[in-house]
Amino acid sequence: MVIKALIFDFDGLLMDTETTLLDSWRAEWRRHGLELDESAFFADHGGDTTDEKYALLAAAAGPGFDRAASHARRTAYRNERHRSLGLTAGLDAWLGEAEGLGLRLAVASSSPRDWVAGHLARTGDLARFEVLACGDEVAAHKPDPAVYRLALERLGLPPEAAVAFEDTPHGVSAAVAAGLRCVAIPNLYAHNARFGQATKLLPSAEAAPLSVVLAHLPAAGGLT
């Protein structure tokens, strides 16, 4: 079946909000004279892990820890970083190419809709996406395929007519479970060896034009 739509993950794929997240928490730990254990920082699933992260920091910092003050500082720090944050390198060119090819564009993210839409609106890219499917609209987060199934439902397409783009192993698992072929561009904090389910693995969106990437995908249902 001919590819008619592309479905992109948001955090870490369309925008590197993963680095701003890590940096904001690293700064808070250092404020208390502590070092964040970065090896276990990113979860193997989508969704919000803020409460768990604050519990770890509070336990390490001791009884004087003020979560409200910490959250205000960390949020302000991250918001300032986001003021200049744009699309990940190569993605603007890919989206432009997709538009030229007449491909429909969608986002499937475990993050809330206001987060995704807000960032895309800030950079002037929201109108490029026909469909947003977000974590606050489904009952389970990636690796559950619910958000990809919602994106396909809103596009009115079978999975064979679309291709997903992801940056994490659990995101790839979600896309594949929804029946999609998936191009993986691992983020800075994900190990390439864990992307065995991906249809194609790329170092970045600058590695090849979108048309070349799509042309070299196997047929839907074919071997990867």
Side-chain angles (χ1 to χ4, degrees), residues 6-21 42 78 82 85-95 105-111 115-116 119-120 123 125 129 142 148 163-172 175 181-190 195 198 200-207 210 213:
L6 310 179
I7 308 176
F8 293 87
D9 174 56
F10 181 73
D11 294 288
L13 192 284
L14 280 174
M15 289 188 191
D16 186 15
T17 54
E18 307 286 28
T19 294
T20 65
L21 179 66
F42 290 102
R78 196 177 183 204
H82 285 162
L85 187 66
L87 295 176
T88 304
L91 264 296
D92 181 65
W94 271 17
L95 296 180
L105 301 177
V107 172
S109 172
S110 287
S111 291
W115 172 264
V116 175
H119 280 292
L120 291 173
T123 59
D125 295 300
F129 294 92
K142 300 173 185 177
Y148 274 108
V163 175
F165 294 82
E166 275 285 352
D167 71 303
T168 63
H170 61 269
V172 173
R181 288 165 288 175
C182 186
V183 176
I185 303 175
N187 67 47
L188 296 171
Y189 315 103
F195 286 83
K200 188 174 185 63
L201 190 66
L202 294 175
S204 75
E206 296 179 302
L210 176 66
V213 174

Side-chain angles (χ1 to χ4, degrees), residues 12-57:
L13 192 284
L14 280 174
M15 289 188 191
D16 186 15
T17 54
E18 307 286 28
T19 294
T20 65
L21 179 66
L22 176 59
D23 285 350
S24 72
W25 281 101
R26 185 190 289 129
E28 271 305 294
W29 277 73
R30 288 179 178 172
R31 182 180 178 87
H32 294 279
L34 303 166
E35 286 295 322
L36 172 67
D37 179 6
E38 299 179 15
S39 66
F41 181 78
F42 290 102
D44 286 332
H45 58 82
D48 190 1
T49 59
T50 302
D51 285 343
E52 292 91 330
K53 287 180 169 58
Y54 275 122
L56 288 173
L57 177 54

